[in-house]
Amino acid sequence: MIHSILLNHYQTWLDDFTRISLSHGLCQQHITQWHRLAITTSPTLDGSVIEIVIPQRLLPITRTARLESCTVDPGLTKNTDYTLLPGVLLSECYRLGKSRLADQLQMLFRLHVQPGMRQTLTLLCWCELATGKDMREWYALHLPLPEMLRQWLTIKQRAYRGLKTLTEDYIRATRPL
């Protein structure tokens, strides 16, 4: 088991919110399978490598490996406006110095409240971050209409084999009892 202050911090925070959500019937029991986190490496556009926290279920999709040791100095920022995985993703964006991306995601979460949209955006964004994609495309996503955004998401998901199926499972897990 990896001993990381960063991972332990996020995992404890996520476990607490998961327990509360489950006790109030706000999600399905199998959400706990989604709420196991890992640390992996991600390439950056400048050729360096960063360590990033990601849901374990996305490791095979992103073809990244779990790190057994972690050198991350946790500059911890919790995004408490959003709970569960969206909150962890936003917090990771801020920690990684990607505040503009975090702000964009929050705007998308507010603008596109259709069922499943937040979960789809969250998982796809994590895949893009973990694989070192250029995130500039994400900054114009507030402009398209919901149907155009849904089409863009579908096209982007195809780059990650199995992501669509996993996303559908995650959406089911987040539904109230």
Side-chain angles (χ1 to χ4, degrees):
M1 180 172 164
I2 190 169
H3 296 287
S4 161
I5 294 170
L6 177 65
L7 186 61
N8 291 339
H9 175 77
Y10 281 143
Q11 191 64 67
T12 300
W13 183 45
L14 187 55
D15 289 347
D16 289 345
F17 274 115
T18 303
R19 225 178 344 273
I20 291 167
S21 296
L22 284 170
S23 70
H24 291 288
L26 300 175
C27 55
Q28 305 294 316
Q29 183 64 39
H30 76 281
I31 193 81
T32 56
Q33 298 167 7
W34 275 98
H35 290 176
R36 299 281 41 105
L37 301 173
I39 294 182
T40 190
T41 57
S42 169
T44 62
L45 295 176
D46 67 6
S48 61
V49 176
I50 57 172
E51 293 172 343
I52 181 173
V53 174
I54 185 171
Q56 287 181 16
R57 303 235 8 222
L58 291 180
L59 291 172
I61 301 295
T62 59
R63 296 183 177 160
T64 56
R66 179 185 319 199
L67 291 181
E68 296 304 322
S69 63
C70 177
T71 61
V72 171
D73 180 26
L76 298 172
T77 303
K78 279 190 214 169
N79 187 294
T80 56
D81 293 337
Y82 295 93
T83 60
L84 306 176
L85 290 182
V88 176
L89 173 61
L90 291 169
S91 299
E92 269 296 90
C93 286
Y94 285 119
R95 184 186 69 79
L96 296 169
K98 297 183 179 295
S99 58
R100 185 172 171 217
L101 178 60
D103 294 343
Q104 177 68 16
L105 282 168
Q106 289 178 79
M107 182 174 35
L108 289 169
F109 292 165
R110 286 189 304 273
L111 287 174
H112 300 283
V113 294
Q114 303 87 348
M117 188 63 76
R118 182 178 300 169
Q119 297 90 335
T120 304
L121 286 163
T122 297
L123 297 183
L124 178 61
C125 184
W126 236 320
C127 287
E128 300 262 286
L129 281 172
T131 56
K133 298 287 190 247
D134 184 344
M135 302 303 283
R136 282 183 281 183
E137 193 174 9
W138 285 78
Y139 300 131
L141 289 181
H142 61 285
L143 300 174
L145 297 171
E147 186 53 38
M148 291 174 65
L149 178 60
R150 199 177 338 270
Q151 289 172 3
W152 181 85
L153 288 167
T154 299
I155 291 166
K156 294 294 277 185
Q157 282 181 323
R158 289 183 191 141
Y160 303 96
R161 188 174 181 182
L163 180 58
K164 185 166 177 46
T165 302
L166 272 181
T167 301
E168 290 166 357
D169 181 61
Y170 179 55
I171 291 168
R172 278 191 300 279
T174 60
R175 289 190 180 131
L177 293 174

